[in-house]
Amino acid sequence: MATNFMLIFKCLSQTFLLISLLICFPNSLVVCHHDETESPAQSPPLIPQLLTFADQRLAVVYPIIQTFKNIITSDPFGITKTWVGSDVCNYTGFYCDKPPDNLTATVVASIDFNGYQLAAPTLDGFIDQLPDLALFHANSNKFSGIISPKVASLRYLYELDLSNNNFLGPFPTALLTLPGLTFLDIRYNSFTGTVPPMIFIETLDALFLNNNNFIWTLPETLGSTTATFLVLANNKFTGPIPRSIGNASETLTEVLFLNNLLTGCIPYEVGLLRKAVVFDAENNLLTGPLPCSLRCLEKIEVLNFAGNLLYGKVPEVVCELGNLVNFSLSDNYFTYVGPQCRKLIEDGVLDVRNNCIHGLPDQRSLEECALFFLKPRSCLHPSWFTIIPCEVHAPQKRTSSKRYSKRKLVSYAALSRHRRLADYVL
């Protein structure tokens, strides 16, 4: 009898406790029902596990990165497997730093996806949503689509490398509004149409537009460029080399125009590029004689006009340049070289094969040369081709007769689709 009384008292006590909890904490009590038969799979929690971030700005970009991760269609090296958890700064390819506006904060400041071979249909909604991004390097991936106009909001972005991807459409004009952009590399894509003249007014140190499908004439603003490296090769640019190019004499060091459709005569203003080390306009439709102003290119090492429609005498004064190590005039219609130029031929510096120079080997046939000269050819202002706009001293002493390796030059490195040019330039 006592035992039964104790059981009844225990049950009443538990019931009273439960009722009290329900009255005092109606929204906090969780009642679990035990079922002897377990369900085959438990449902995921309705509220995900809370993450703790080192900085609120990292918490803001976390869902942006995760959304981008979900649209990646190929990740051969498993890069995105590291994009887990709140430690965004240790995600592969992401780098954090202090932003200029708050030196106590921690933000995603740069992204380096070079060579990862990631594939995604767009970058829209990704880089344009990372407000503190200063560098984005993505050479040799499989990103596609167009460049969103929203990238104009990236106030700190100063290096952008989208080379060797599958981007298309017109030149991304939103880049013109980036206030701090100094390095732009969009080579080896499928951009089309014209290049906006304003790009040459931007304060860029390096501009690589090669291996796209850009067309139309080069604008006169080209001479306003502040770039040290200007590579426009392997497009479909037409028209003449702008005479304004001489205005870039204080900055332009390497320029590649090769493999385009440029026409007209070589402007004597090219000779004003006193800091130029490389000038390459191979495989175009340039015509006329070589201007004697090229004698002023005292630092030039590579001078290439092969594969054009040039003619006349090769100026002896140009062959006196002491730093020349690769001077190519092959596949033109030159008719004469003097003794100074012949020395360069003997040294393997000057290449004049497949011209119309009597007495030298590997020249065009007489019939081919005669056919070329049947058509009257001339340039405006012929007297300009004899102008030497600098003080000329005795022939420069040659520093080397050995051929220069193109691989040592930034501009030629740009012709290799997998090269990371920021490593060369910066």
Side-chain angles (χ1 to χ4, degrees), residues 174-216:
L175 302 180
L176 300 175
T177 62
L178 294 172
L181 192 66
T182 61
F183 177 94
L184 178 59
D185 184 356
I186 59 173
R187 63 198 163 94
Y188 283 101
N189 280 286
S190 298
F191 292 111
T192 58
T194 61
V195 172
M198 293 299 292
I199 192 60
F200 299 107
I201 299 177
E202 298 295 311
T203 53
L204 295 169
D205 296 327
L207 178 59
F208 303 101
L209 305 181
N210 54 290
N211 295 85
N212 280 283
N213 294 308
F214 291 122
I215 60 172
W216 216 246

Side-chain angles (χ1 to χ4, degrees), residues 15 39 61 70 87 113 115 125 132 144-145 159 171 186 211 222 241 266 328 332 383 387 391 395 426:
T15 302
S39 58
V61 302
N70 290 335
D87 194 1
F113 290 164
D132 301 296
S144 55
E159 286 183 25
F171 184 96
I186 59 173
N211 295 85
L222 184 142
I241 298 173
I266 301 170
S328 185
N332 280 285
S383 62
I387 295 175
E391 188 176 352
L426 306 169

Side-chain angles (χ1 to χ4, degrees), residues 46-172:
L46 295 177
I47 301 175
Q49 180 182 1
L50 294 178
L51 298 175
T52 302
F53 294 88
D55 192 284
Q56 178 60 29
R57 296 197 193 186
L58 298 177
V60 170
V61 302
Y62 170 80
I64 296 167
I65 297 171
Q66 298 304 316
T67 299
F68 178 64
K69 176 181 177 180
N70 290 335
I71 68 168
I72 290 177
T73 58
S74 180
D75 179 11
F77 302 120
I79 300 299
T80 59
K81 291 180 181 178
T82 68
W83 300 0
V84 177
S86 62
D87 194 1
V88 175
C89 299
N90 276 329
Y91 288 5
T92 300
F94 290 81
Y95 300 88
C96 294
D97 206 340
K98 308 297 182 184
D101 65 343
N102 185 352
L103 297 181
T104 64
T106 301
V107 301
V108 173
S110 63
I111 295 176
D112 187 348
F113 290 164
N114 284 335
Y116 287 172
Q117 298 181 30
L118 299 172
T122 183
L123 292 180
D124 193 12
F126 177 49
I127 62 172
D128 53 271
Q129 296 300 310
L130 303 176
D132 301 296
L133 194 64
L135 295 88
F136 185 75
H137 294 171
N139 171 267
S140 297
N141 285 276
K142 298 176 183 177
F143 299 136
S144 55
I146 62 172
I147 306 303
S148 170
K150 291 180 285 186
V151 299
S153 65
L154 301 178
R155 53 181 174 166
Y156 300 134
L157 189 67
Y158 69 91
E159 286 183 25
L160 182 61
D161 181 356
L162 302 175
S163 58
N164 195 24
N165 280 278
N166 300 320
F167 294 109
L168 46 78
F171 184 96

Side-chain angles (χ1 to χ4, degrees), residues 270-343:
V270 171
L272 301 179
L273 300 176
R274 61 188 185 87
K275 292 187 177 181
V277 175
V278 175
F279 192 96
D280 192 333
E282 179 182 6
N283 290 336
N284 280 280
L285 300 170
L286 299 172
T287 190
L290 277 184
C292 291
S293 64
L294 299 179
R295 175 62 176 81
C296 299
L297 303 177
E298 295 193 354
K299 294 186 178 181
I300 201 75
E301 297 175 4
V302 177
L303 188 58
N304 189 356
F305 292 104
N308 281 282
L309 303 171
L310 303 173
Y311 55 85
K313 298 180 179 180
V314 179
E316 279 281 277
V317 291
V318 179
C319 292
E320 293 174 356
L321 290 166
N323 290 315
L324 269 176
V325 287
N326 191 335
F327 185 16
S328 185
L329 300 175
S330 61
D331 297 294
N332 280 285
Y333 293 87
F334 289 106
T335 54
Y336 177 82
V337 289
Q340 191 68 39
C341 293
R342 288 177 183 266
K343 289 180 181 179

